[in-house]
């Protein structure tokens, strides 16, 4: 419901978020094999794990970054930006399914419902993660997606690196190894820049590269976007640590207090609540500063940065 005191810009942003969330849901629904397709249990579990939930922050960042370069169409044709946004959500959903398994974070609740291995079983959850990941690379590598193979290769390479051992999976490995051990702020930051930040950063880069392909991935725009996304990715994690302490399970849709229970170092345990909030604020400010060269074209990215900071779930 629109807040009585919302500004027109906020209402416009809320509407944009809803439209994009609905769009991503529809495209995901279309690209996922139906629950009647063999093997039916696996496909049903894949659909259970990705449809009908999640804030879709990575997809939204991808759309917002594409809007830096061209207005996004609301037509029913599926675009390369849609596919990039779906690929990001598929990788993200795979990571959540695996993260919830008993061999990792052992969580029974995800997006307000039983996590995949609880609803199905461990073996199915393992395969769901594997298959969601493969599907992400399959849709982004389709030969009829663009007529620019270099652009697609660059996007595939960025996504593979962000998800792999020097990105998200590497961050998860550091996280698992750190349970019960004191970590310095530097080490905690390295872990989160990989575990959560890498996929958030690549969401922005894929969005930009889906709209304007540059043969040089280190051009001025990409560097500025990396600074924006790196800061907002870390802010996302600091806010996550704060919510783990301050929010309740119903609002979050996942078990709260897990970090303390698992004896995991967090920004709150390391810095205290007040300092953690101040640090999130500092990262947010630095993220917005990095958008300066883009002027009003960056409005959606700015709004998303605010959304990430102010989220309560
Ligand atoms: C298993 C390879 C592998 C990696 C797992 C991302 C991750 C790595 C684990 C998730 C653990 C976790 C709760 C991290 C905190 C930040 C985070 C990624 C929260 C969940 O993302 P949201 O809030 O979730 O965007 P929704 O449900 O909205 O999509």
């Amino acid at each position: 419901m629109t807040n009585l005191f919302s500004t027109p810009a906020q209402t416009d942003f809320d509407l944009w978020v809803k439209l994009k969330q609905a769009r991503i849901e529809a495209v995901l629904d279309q690209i996922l094999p139906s629950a009647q397709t063999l093997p039916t249990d696996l496909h049903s579990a894949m659909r259970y794990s990705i449809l009908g939930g999640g804030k879709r922050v990575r997809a939204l960042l991808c759309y917002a970054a594409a809007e830096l370069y061209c207005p996004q169409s609301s037509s029913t044709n599926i675009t390369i930006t849609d596919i990039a946004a779906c690929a990001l959500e598929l990788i993200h959903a795979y990571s959540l399914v695996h993260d919830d398994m008993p061999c990792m974070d052992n969580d029974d609740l995800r997006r307000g419902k039983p996590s995949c291995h609880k609803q199905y079983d461990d073996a199915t959850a393992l395969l769901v993660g594997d298959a969601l990941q493969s599907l992400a690379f399959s849709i982004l590598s389709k030969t009829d997606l663009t007529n620019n193979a270099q652009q697609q290769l660059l996007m595939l390479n960025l996504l593979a690196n962000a998800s792999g051992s020097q990105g998200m999976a590497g961050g998860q490995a550091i996280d698992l190894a750190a349970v019960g051990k004191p970590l310095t702020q530097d080490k905690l930051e390295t872990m989160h820049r990989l575990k959560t930040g890498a996929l958030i950063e690549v969401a922005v880069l894929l969005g930009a590269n889906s709209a304007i392909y540059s043969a040089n991935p280190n051009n001025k725009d990409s560097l500025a976007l990396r600074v924006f996304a790196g800061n907002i990715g870390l802010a996302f994690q600091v806010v996550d640590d704060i919510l783990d302490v301050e929010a309740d399970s119903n609002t979050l849709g996942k078990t709260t207090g897990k970090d303390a229970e698992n004896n995991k170092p967090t920004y709150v345990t390391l810095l205290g609540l007040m300092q953690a909030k101040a640090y999130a604020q500092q990262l947010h400010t630095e993220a917005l500063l990095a958008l300066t060269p883009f002027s009003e074209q960056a409005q959606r990215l700015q709004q998303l940065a605010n959304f990430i900071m102010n989220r309560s779930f």
Side-chain angles (χ1 to χ4, degrees):
M1 200 190 354
T2 309
N3 186 314
L4 256 186
F5 304 103
S6 280
T7 62
Q10 182 63 40
T11 309
D12 168 67
F13 175 69
D14 292 346
L15 192 63
W16 179 84
V17 166
K18 285 202 172 68
L19 284 172
K20 294 299 182 204
Q21 285 171 335
R23 188 171 177 97
I24 204 79
E25 188 76 8
V27 182
L28 282 169
D29 182 41
Q30 196 173 320
I31 60 175
L32 280 158
S34 79
Q36 287 74 45
T37 305
L38 286 173
T40 51
D41 281 353
L42 179 59
H43 289 139
S44 144
M46 285 165 73
R47 298 178 71 85
Y48 175 86
S49 302
I50 194 164
L51 295 176
K55 297 177 287 297
R56 310 292 190 205
V57 164
R58 292 143 196 89
L60 294 172
L61 283 166
C62 179
Y63 284 119
E67 286 190 13
L68 284 173
Y69 301 101
C70 59
Q72 293 298 293
S73 94
S74 53
S75 96
T76 50
N77 293 339
I78 296 180
T79 66
I80 183 171
T81 309
D82 291 320
I83 294 298
C86 283
L88 288 157
E89 288 297 322
L90 286 162
I91 297 280
H92 173 56
Y94 124 66
S95 81
L96 298 180
V97 169
H98 280 188
D99 184 66
D100 288 338
M101 292 183 69
C103 59
M104 296 216 182
D105 221 24
N106 195 15
D107 218 314
D108 293 353
L109 191 65
R110 173 65 62 185
R111 294 177 170 171
K113 56 188 191 182
S115 41
C116 183
H117 70 280
K118 279 277 151 192
Q119 183 72 12
Y120 296 87
D121 52 48
D122 287 5
T124 305
L126 197 60
L127 292 171
V128 163
D130 294 342
L132 291 175
Q133 174 166 214
S134 299
L135 186 58
F137 290 104
S138 167
I139 58 171
L140 200 53
S141 59
K142 280 187 85 173
T143 50
D144 58 359
L145 189 58
T146 66
N147 51 17
N148 187 342
Q150 289 298 324
Q151 176 189 20
Q152 270 177 267
L153 276 176
L154 172 66
M155 292 171 72
L156 284 161
N157 186 254
L158 286 169
L159 185 61
N161 290 339
S163 325
S165 63
Q166 297 189 58
M168 184 182 73
Q172 179 78 344
I174 299 174
D175 188 5
L176 292 172
V179 175
K181 298 192 185 130
L183 276 191
T184 61
Q185 189 172 344
D186 274 0
K187 291 234 168 75
L188 191 67
E189 184 153 323
T190 305
M191 188 230 326
H192 287 312
R193 281 196 185 272
L194 296 176
K195 190 180 97 163
T196 315
L199 202 58
I200 289 189
E201 183 175 321
V202 85
V204 174
L205 296 178
L206 289 195
N209 277 286
S210 72
I212 184 172
Y213 166 67
S214 161
N216 173 12
N218 290 322
N219 61 37
K220 227 166 70 236
D221 280 12
S222 294
L223 294 178
L225 289 177
R226 277 180 202 271
V227 175
F228 164 77
N231 282 303
I232 214 58
L234 201 54
F236 183 95
Q237 182 62 53
V238 181
V239 170
D240 213 70
D241 286 354
I242 294 167
L243 288 174
D244 193 61
V245 177
E246 287 198 328
D248 62 88
S249 290
N250 274 346
T251 317
L252 273 192
K254 61 179 182 180
T255 321
T256 50
K258 284 284 292 184
D259 294 334
E261 191 188 303
N262 289 343
N263 206 7
K264 275 193 176 177
T266 71
Y267 282 99
V268 176
T269 54
L270 200 70
L271 303 175
L273 202 50
M274 294 303 287
Q275 280 294 101
K277 286 183 180 179
Y279 186 46
Q281 204 57 57
Q282 180 194 327
L283 291 164
H284 175 249
T285 306
E286 281 166 25
L288 293 186
L289 201 62
L291 293 178
T292 318
F294 297 102
S295 65
E296 67 267 26
Q297 250 56 46
Q299 190 203 18
R300 289 287 179 231
L301 283 177
Q302 285 165 2
Q303 289 170 322
L304 273 172
N306 299 341
F307 172 77
I308 284 170
M309 280 300 291
N310 299 325
R311 73 198 172 99
S312 56
F313 60 98

